[in-house]
Amino acid sequence: MTRLRLYKSQRLLVLDGAQGVLRSYPVGLGFAPEGHKQFEGDGRTPEGTYTIDRRNPESLFHLSIGISYPNAADRAFAAAQGQSPGGDIFIHGGPRRGIDPTNKQDWTAGCIAVSDRQIEEIYAMVRDGTPIDIYA
């Protein structure tokens, strides 16, 4: 079964298959990369276990695949603080002009950014329901 692992501190996304690592990709993260995403607008990339839950071939960032953030615990925590947990967390291409994800620059609002070529490859290899583990 295909599985994704994101190591935020290393800015590395790993795509695993049945026989082990298939590919790894340098990534850019949210503009405030330290810590778990808690609230809308905090610029953080979530940490924890999620799934790929949607695909967007019409994405403003070339192609994108959605991550199931927020989960029930994320929603409950934000609600207890009187805030929105945010949402619309994706793995996507289309870095802004002058941003090269291979330089591991953090520029998204909490998403995981790769190059257009890389998101094309990921999009073709990853299906809805694929687990993604996001580590600090």
Side-chain angles (χ1 to χ4, degrees):
M1 177 178 187
T2 304
R3 177 171 207 92
L4 291 163
R5 292 178 285 136
L6 174 65
Y7 298 94
K8 288 173 52 176
S9 64
Q10 295 175 296
R11 306 301 188 275
L12 185 68
L13 179 66
V14 178
L15 175 59
D16 293 316
Q19 305 300 319
V21 175
L22 297 173
R23 299 271 196 280
S24 60
Y25 307 94
V27 300
L29 300 173
F31 62 82
E34 301 300 319
H36 173 57
K37 181 166 193 62
Q38 296 179 318
F39 308 118
E40 185 172 4
D42 66 9
R44 294 180 177 161
T45 301
E47 296 170 2
T49 298
Y50 298 92
T51 58
I52 300 304
D53 65 354
R54 60 202 181 279
R55 308 165 74 67
N56 185 0
E58 305 295 322
S59 173
L60 296 175
F61 296 99
H62 192 56
L63 293 172
S64 62
I65 56 175
I67 296 172
S68 63
Y69 176 88
N71 61 27
D74 298 321
R75 285 189 295 276
F77 179 83
Q81 306 300 312
Q83 296 200 43
S84 166
D88 287 335
I89 302 297
F90 289 87
I91 302 170
H92 62 67
R96 295 179 183 165
R97 183 174 302 277
I99 303 281
D100 177 1
T102 61
N103 287 336
K104 302 177 184 178
Q105 293 175 298
D106 300 319
W107 60 272
T108 75
C111 293
I112 301 158
V114 295
S115 73
D116 287 353
R117 181 187 60 76
Q118 291 165 335
I119 192 58
E120 289 170 4
E121 192 171 270
I122 295 165
Y123 195 93
M125 295 173 74
V126 172
R127 300 286 167 245
D128 289 358
T130 299
I132 178 168
D133 294 308
I134 304 174
Y135 304 100

